[in-house]
């Protein structure tokens, strides 16, 4: 069973993308999901939030030209784990080593259910596993 307290933040400019990703999480039993549509909303929630965010799912294009997304995610203690999707278009490198435990870069244009299931096996290990995860690329 998933932890009902798992806090998930979805950041994407496209309403349809946010809605679709949120529905995938809902199908897996996660309902504490907050969608944001721009970088300013994201920064406010992360900076002023009283509790850390368990998972940030963010479109790489959201920070493009405005923020070094990798550095922001790696250096922010409010973010327990991050998945950056559409990383290929933003020319983000694949991360290895210790940083890979916290930040995952996916080249998928939009994360689909199997990718989210594998990621949640890392974020919420108390939930029955859907398989062993080695990489979420």
């Amino acid at each position: 069973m998933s932890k009902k307290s798992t806090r998930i933040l979805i950041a994407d400019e496209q309403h349809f993308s946010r809605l679709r990703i949120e529905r995938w999480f809902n199908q897996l039993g996660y309902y504490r999901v907050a969608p944001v549509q721009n970088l300013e909303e994201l920064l406010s929630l992360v900076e002023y939030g009283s509790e850390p965010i368990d998972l940030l799912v963010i479109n790489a294009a959201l920070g493009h030209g405005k923020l070094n997304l990798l550095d922001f995610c790696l250096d922010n203690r409010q973010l327990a784990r991050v998945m950056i999707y559409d990383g290929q278009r933003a020319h983000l490198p694949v991360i290895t080593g210790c940083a890979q435990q916290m930040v995952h870069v996916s080249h998928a244009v939009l994360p689909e259910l199997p990718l989210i299931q594998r990621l949640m096996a890392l974020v919420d290990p108390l939930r029955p596993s859907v398989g062993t995860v080695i990489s979420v690329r």
Side-chain angles (χ1 to χ4, degrees):
M1 173 179 277
S2 64
K3 294 187 295 183
K4 293 192 184 289
S5 63
T6 301
R7 296 174 44 138
I8 301 168
L9 187 59
I10 302 169
D12 194 311
E13 291 177 335
Q14 300 298 315
H15 175 73
F16 173 77
S17 298
R18 292 189 312 268
L19 186 62
R20 184 165 180 169
I21 296 168
E22 184 174 2
R23 285 185 181 162
W24 291 130
F25 281 109
N26 293 162
Q27 280 187 345
L28 295 173
Y30 297 95
Y31 297 99
R32 208 167 168 198
V33 180
V36 297
Q37 68 181 352
N38 59 49
L39 190 60
E40 292 76 24
E41 288 179 10
L42 169 69
L43 294 175
S44 292
L45 283 174
V46 171
E47 184 174 339
Y48 297 112
S50 60
E51 298 175 40
I53 296 176
D54 296 304
L55 175 64
L56 168 62
V57 179
I58 184 169
N59 186 325
L62 200 65
H64 191 65
K66 303 172 196 168
L67 176 73
N68 183 324
L69 202 51
L70 283 176
D71 286 346
F72 171 74
C73 294
L74 288 169
D75 293 338
N76 198 309
R77 294 179 187 208
Q78 284 290 90
L79 301 173
R81 195 172 299 267
V82 178
M83 182 182 67
I84 302 170
Y85 61 93
D86 204 8
Q88 188 170 14
R89 188 183 326 178
H91 306 292
L92 293 178
V94 173
I95 300 172
T96 59
C98 293
Q100 187 179 23
Q101 299 301 314
M102 185 185 149
V103 177
H104 304 275
V105 176
S106 170
H107 289 200
V109 175
L110 191 66
E112 294 290 336
L113 184 59
L115 177 62
I116 292 172
Q117 286 175 314
R118 291 191 309 266
L119 182 64
M120 292 314 293
L122 295 171
V123 173
D124 189 2
L126 298 177
R127 183 181 181 280
S129 179
V130 294
T132 304
V133 177
I134 296 190
S135 175
V136 292
R137 283 187 223 150

